[in-house]
mmCIF file of all heavy atoms in Angstrom:
data_model
loop_
_atom_site.group_PDB
_atom_site.id
_atom_site.type_symbol
_atom_site.label_atom_id
_atom_site.label_comp_id
_atom_site.label_asym_id
_atom_site.label_seq_id
_atom_site.Cartn_x
_atom_site.Cartn_y
_atom_site.Cartn_z
ATOM 1 N N TYR A 6 73.896 58.848 -66.997
ATOM 2 C CA TYR A 6 72.775 58.131 -66.406
ATOM 3 C C TYR A 6 71.595 59.103 -66.411
ATOM 4 O O TYR A 6 71.781 60.318 -66.482
ATOM 5 C CB TYR A 6 73.087 57.695 -64.980
ATOM 6 C CG TYR A 6 73.905 56.426 -64.870
ATOM 7 C CD1 TYR A 6 74.956 56.153 -65.747
ATOM 8 C CD2 TYR A 6 73.629 55.480 -63.883
ATOM 9 C CE1 TYR A 6 75.705 55.000 -65.649
ATOM 10 C CE2 TYR A 6 74.371 54.316 -63.762
ATOM 11 C CZ TYR A 6 75.421 54.084 -64.647
ATOM 12 O OH TYR A 6 76.165 52.933 -64.558
ATOM 13 N N TYR A 7 70.396 58.562 -66.328
ATOM 14 C CA TYR A 7 69.199 59.396 -66.383
ATOM 15 C C TYR A 7 68.266 59.027 -65.231
ATOM 16 O O TYR A 7 67.979 57.843 -64.999
ATOM 17 C CB TYR A 7 68.468 59.216 -67.717
ATOM 18 C CG TYR A 7 69.307 59.624 -68.912
ATOM 19 C CD1 TYR A 7 70.164 58.702 -69.520
ATOM 20 C CD2 TYR A 7 69.275 60.916 -69.408
ATOM 21 C CE1 TYR A 7 70.957 59.069 -70.604
ATOM 22 C CE2 TYR A 7 70.059 61.290 -70.501
ATOM 23 C CZ TYR A 7 70.901 60.361 -71.083
ATOM 24 O OH TYR A 7 71.689 60.729 -72.152
ATOM 25 N N GLN A 8 67.819 60.071 -64.501
ATOM 26 C CA GLN A 8 66.858 59.833 -63.421
ATOM 27 C C GLN A 8 65.509 60.415 -63.819
ATOM 28 O O GLN A 8 65.419 61.577 -64.232
ATOM 29 C CB GLN A 8 67.322 60.457 -62.113
ATOM 30 C CG GLN A 8 66.426 60.067 -60.931
ATOM 31 C CD GLN A 8 67.027 60.463 -59.596
ATOM 32 O OE1 GLN A 8 67.698 61.489 -59.492
ATOM 33 N NE2 GLN A 8 66.786 59.662 -58.556
ATOM 34 N N PRO A 9 64.445 59.619 -63.696
ATOM 35 C CA PRO A 9 63.116 60.081 -64.124
ATOM 36 C C PRO A 9 62.588 61.232 -63.274
ATOM 37 O O PRO A 9 62.832 61.307 -62.070
ATOM 38 C CB PRO A 9 62.236 58.843 -63.943
ATOM 39 C CG PRO A 9 63.185 57.686 -63.984
ATOM 40 C CD PRO A 9 64.437 58.193 -63.334
ATOM 41 N N LEU A 10 61.862 62.128 -63.942
ATOM 42 C CA LEU A 10 61.069 63.164 -63.290
ATOM 43 C C LEU A 10 59.617 62.695 -63.377
ATOM 44 O O LEU A 10 59.107 62.439 -64.481
ATOM 45 C CB LEU A 10 61.243 64.508 -64.004
ATOM 46 C CG LEU A 10 62.678 65.060 -64.063
ATOM 47 C CD1 LEU A 10 62.749 66.268 -64.990
ATOM 48 C CD2 LEU A 10 63.154 65.440 -62.673
ATOM 49 N N VAL A 11 58.956 62.599 -62.242
ATOM 50 C CA VAL A 11 57.653 61.926 -62.184
ATOM 51 C C VAL A 11 56.562 62.908 -61.783
ATOM 52 O O VAL A 11 56.728 63.693 -60.834
ATOM 53 C CB VAL A 11 57.702 60.759 -61.172
ATOM 54 C CG1 VAL A 11 56.336 60.098 -61.042
ATOM 55 C CG2 VAL A 11 58.750 59.748 -61.600
ATOM 56 N N ASP A 12 55.431 62.858 -62.507
ATOM 57 C CA ASP A 12 54.238 63.612 -62.114
ATOM 58 C C ASP A 12 53.689 62.964 -60.844
ATOM 59 O O ASP A 12 53.328 61.778 -60.846
ATOM 60 C CB ASP A 12 53.206 63.562 -63.236
ATOM 61 C CG ASP A 12 51.994 64.429 -62.953
ATOM 62 O OD1 ASP A 12 51.392 64.275 -61.869
ATOM 63 O OD2 ASP A 12 51.640 65.258 -63.801
ATOM 64 N N LEU A 13 53.631 63.718 -59.747
ATOM 65 C CA LEU A 13 53.267 63.118 -58.453
ATOM 66 C C LEU A 13 51.807 62.691 -58.400
ATOM 67 O O LEU A 13 51.448 61.834 -57.579
ATOM 68 C CB LEU A 13 53.559 64.105 -57.313
ATOM 69 C CG LEU A 13 55.037 64.519 -57.155
ATOM 70 C CD1 LEU A 13 55.223 65.353 -55.903
ATOM 71 C CD2 LEU A 13 55.949 63.294 -57.104
ATOM 72 N N ASP A 14 50.951 63.249 -59.247
ATOM 73 C CA ASP A 14 49.534 62.836 -59.252
ATOM 74 C C ASP A 14 49.335 61.564 -60.067
ATOM 75 O O ASP A 14 48.666 60.630 -59.629
ATOM 76 C CB ASP A 14 48.660 63.963 -59.819
ATOM 77 C CG ASP A 14 48.536 65.120 -58.840
ATOM 78 O OD1 ASP A 14 48.540 64.851 -57.611
ATOM 79 O OD2 ASP A 14 48.464 66.273 -59.285
ATOM 80 N N THR A 15 49.923 61.517 -61.275
ATOM 81 C CA THR A 15 49.673 60.386 -62.172
ATOM 82 C C THR A 15 50.729 59.288 -62.055
ATOM 83 O O THR A 15 50.534 58.191 -62.569
ATOM 84 C CB THR A 15 49.650 60.878 -63.629
ATOM 85 O OG1 THR A 15 50.952 61.360 -63.975
ATOM 86 C CG2 THR A 15 48.623 61.989 -63.803
ATOM 87 N N LYS A 16 51.850 59.590 -61.397
ATOM 88 C CA LYS A 16 52.999 58.680 -61.279
ATOM 89 C C LYS A 16 53.649 58.368 -62.638
ATOM 90 O O LYS A 16 54.408 57.420 -62.776
ATOM 91 C CB LYS A 16 52.574 57.346 -60.622
ATOM 92 C CG LYS A 16 51.990 57.478 -59.225
ATOM 93 C CD LYS A 16 53.061 57.828 -58.207
ATOM 94 C CE LYS A 16 52.474 57.891 -56.798
ATOM 95 N NZ LYS A 16 52.089 56.582 -56.285
ATOM 96 N N LYS A 17 53.341 59.166 -63.643
ATOM 97 C CA LYS A 17 53.935 58.949 -64.966
ATOM 98 C C LYS A 17 55.263 59.705 -65.086
ATOM 99 O O LYS A 17 55.430 60.780 -64.526
ATOM 100 C CB LYS A 17 52.991 59.434 -66.063
ATOM 101 C CG LYS A 17 51.750 58.567 -66.230
ATOM 102 C CD LYS A 17 50.894 59.076 -67.374
ATOM 103 C CE LYS A 17 49.665 58.191 -67.575
ATOM 104 N NZ LYS A 17 48.828 58.673 -68.703
ATOM 105 N N ILE A 18 56.175 59.113 -65.853
ATOM 106 C CA ILE A 18 57.458 59.774 -66.125
ATOM 107 C C ILE A 18 57.224 60.848 -67.181
ATOM 108 O O ILE A 18 56.784 60.548 -68.292
ATOM 109 C CB ILE A 18 58.510 58.766 -66.624
ATOM 110 C CG1 ILE A 18 58.793 57.712 -65.551
ATOM 111 C CG2 ILE A 18 59.808 59.483 -67.008
ATOM 112 C CD1 ILE A 18 59.708 56.591 -66.008
ATOM 113 N N VAL A 19 57.542 62.107 -66.803
ATOM 114 C CA VAL A 19 57.301 63.208 -67.733
ATOM 115 C C VAL A 19 58.613 63.829 -68.248
ATOM 116 O O VAL A 19 58.596 64.618 -69.191
ATOM 117 C CB VAL A 19 56.449 64.312 -67.068
ATOM 118 C CG1 VAL A 19 55.041 63.798 -66.782
ATOM 119 C CG2 VAL A 19 57.105 64.805 -65.778
ATOM 120 N N GLY A 20 59.684 63.458 -67.615
ATOM 121 C CA GLY A 20 60.962 64.010 -68.056
ATOM 122 C C GLY A 20 62.125 63.264 -67.430
ATOM 123 O O GLY A 20 61.943 62.313 -66.650
ATOM 124 N N LEU A 21 63.325 63.683 -67.768
ATOM 125 C CA LEU A 21 64.533 63.018 -67.273
ATOM 126 C C LEU A 21 65.582 64.066 -66.897
ATOM 127 O O LEU A 21 65.641 65.140 -67.499
ATOM 128 C CB LEU A 21 65.122 62.103 -68.352
ATOM 129 C CG LEU A 21 64.203 61.031 -68.938
ATOM 130 C CD1 LEU A 21 64.836 60.430 -70.182
ATOM 131 C CD2 LEU A 21 63.919 59.946 -67.896
ATOM 132 N N GLU A 22 66.390 63.722 -65.921
ATOM 133 C CA GLU A 22 67.559 64.543 -65.610
ATOM 134 C C GLU A 22 68.811 63.765 -65.986
ATOM 135 O O GLU A 22 68.981 62.606 -65.576
ATOM 136 C CB GLU A 22 67.610 64.912 -64.121
ATOM 137 C CG GLU A 22 68.842 65.769 -63.794
ATOM 138 C CD GLU A 22 68.943 66.176 -62.332
ATOM 139 O OE1 GLU A 22 68.078 65.766 -61.534
ATOM 140 O OE2 GLU A 22 69.904 66.894 -61.991
ATOM 141 N N ALA A 23 69.666 64.389 -66.785
ATOM 142 C CA ALA A 23 70.911 63.739 -67.211
ATOM 143 C C ALA A 23 71.976 63.952 -66.141
ATOM 144 O O ALA A 23 72.209 65.081 -65.691
ATOM 145 C CB ALA A 23 71.369 64.330 -68.545
ATOM 146 N N LEU A 24 72.631 62.863 -65.734
ATOM 147 C CA LEU A 24 73.653 62.919 -64.686
ATOM 148 C C LEU A 24 74.924 62.218 -65.172
ATOM 149 O O LEU A 24 74.878 61.065 -65.597
ATOM 150 C CB LEU A 24 73.142 62.236 -63.410
ATOM 151 C CG LEU A 24 71.869 62.861 -62.814
ATOM 152 C CD1 LEU A 24 71.234 61.923 -61.794
ATOM 153 C CD2 LEU A 24 72.188 64.207 -62.174
ATOM 154 N N ILE A 25 76.041 62.923 -65.119
ATOM 155 C CA ILE A 25 77.292 62.370 -65.633
ATOM 156 C C ILE A 25 77.851 61.324 -64.671
ATOM 157 O O ILE A 25 77.752 61.454 -63.446
ATOM 158 C CB ILE A 25 78.338 63.482 -65.882
ATOM 159 C CG1 ILE A 25 79.543 62.922 -66.630
ATOM 160 C CG2 ILE A 25 78.747 64.160 -64.572
ATOM 161 C CD1 ILE A 25 80.499 63.986 -67.138
ATOM 162 N N ARG A 26 78.451 60.290 -65.234
ATOM 163 C CA ARG A 26 79.098 59.237 -64.447
ATOM 164 C C ARG A 26 80.454 58.938 -65.090
ATOM 165 O O ARG A 26 80.631 59.064 -66.294
ATOM 166 C CB ARG A 26 78.243 57.959 -64.415
ATOM 167 C CG ARG A 26 76.910 58.124 -63.676
ATOM 168 C CD ARG A 26 77.132 58.329 -62.202
ATOM 169 N NE ARG A 26 75.897 58.431 -61.444
ATOM 170 C CZ ARG A 26 75.323 59.572 -61.106
ATOM 171 N NH1 ARG A 26 75.855 60.729 -61.516
ATOM 172 N NH2 ARG A 26 74.218 59.588 -60.390
ATOM 173 N N TRP A 27 81.404 58.531 -64.239
ATOM 174 C CA TRP A 27 82.759 58.226 -64.706
ATOM 175 C C TRP A 27 83.199 56.897 -64.121
ATOM 176 O O TRP A 27 83.364 56.770 -62.915
ATOM 177 C CB TRP A 27 83.721 59.331 -64.309
ATOM 178 C CG TRP A 27 85.131 59.151 -64.808
ATOM 179 C CD1 TRP A 27 85.574 58.290 -65.767
ATOM 180 C CD2 TRP A 27 86.283 59.874 -64.360
ATOM 181 N NE1 TRP A 27 86.915 58.417 -65.961
ATOM 182 C CE2 TRP A 27 87.388 59.394 -65.106
ATOM 183 C CE3 TRP A 27 86.493 60.871 -63.424
ATOM 184 C CZ2 TRP A 27 88.683 59.866 -64.915
ATOM 185 C CZ3 TRP A 27 87.768 61.359 -63.245
ATOM 186 C CH2 TRP A 27 88.865 60.863 -63.984
ATOM 187 N N ILE A 28 83.355 55.933 -64.983
ATOM 188 C CA ILE A 28 83.892 54.638 -64.571
ATOM 189 C C ILE A 28 85.360 54.618 -64.980
ATOM 190 O O ILE A 28 85.707 54.380 -66.132
ATOM 191 C CB ILE A 28 83.129 53.461 -65.223
ATOM 192 C CG1 ILE A 28 81.627 53.625 -65.030
ATOM 193 C CG2 ILE A 28 83.600 52.145 -64.627
ATOM 194 C CD1 ILE A 28 81.189 53.670 -63.586
ATOM 195 N N HIS A 29 86.231 54.874 -64.013
ATOM 196 C CA HIS A 29 87.660 54.961 -64.286
ATOM 197 C C HIS A 29 88.221 53.558 -64.518
ATOM 198 O O HIS A 29 87.890 52.622 -63.783
ATOM 199 C CB HIS A 29 88.370 55.628 -63.103
ATOM 200 C CG HIS A 29 89.776 56.043 -63.384
ATOM 201 N ND1 HIS A 29 90.826 55.143 -63.363
ATOM 202 C CD2 HIS A 29 90.319 57.254 -63.701
ATOM 203 C CE1 HIS A 29 91.949 55.784 -63.641
ATOM 204 N NE2 HIS A 29 91.677 57.066 -63.851
ATOM 205 N N PRO A 30 89.070 53.375 -65.528
ATOM 206 C CA PRO A 30 89.592 52.031 -65.824
ATOM 207 C C PRO A 30 90.414 51.431 -64.677
ATOM 208 O O PRO A 30 90.522 50.211 -64.576
ATOM 209 C CB PRO A 30 90.463 52.260 -67.065
ATOM 210 C CG PRO A 30 90.754 53.723 -67.093
ATOM 211 C CD PRO A 30 89.563 54.387 -66.474
#
């Protein structure tokens, strides 16, 4: 999953943080 990194002045997305997720069967 990816969570946006946001410029607090412009509110634009400038980057992403990758976060691992596991959906167990």
Side-chain angles (χ1 to χ4, degrees):
Y6 279 39
Y7 298 88
Q8 187 169 34
L10 300 171
V11 177
D12 185 307
L13 298 187
D14 287 327
T15 65
K16 300 288 183 70
K17 290 182 178 181
I18 298 174
V19 293
L21 304 168
E22 180 180 2
L24 300 165
I25 189 169
R26 294 292 183 264
W27 183 14
I28 310 300
H29 193 280

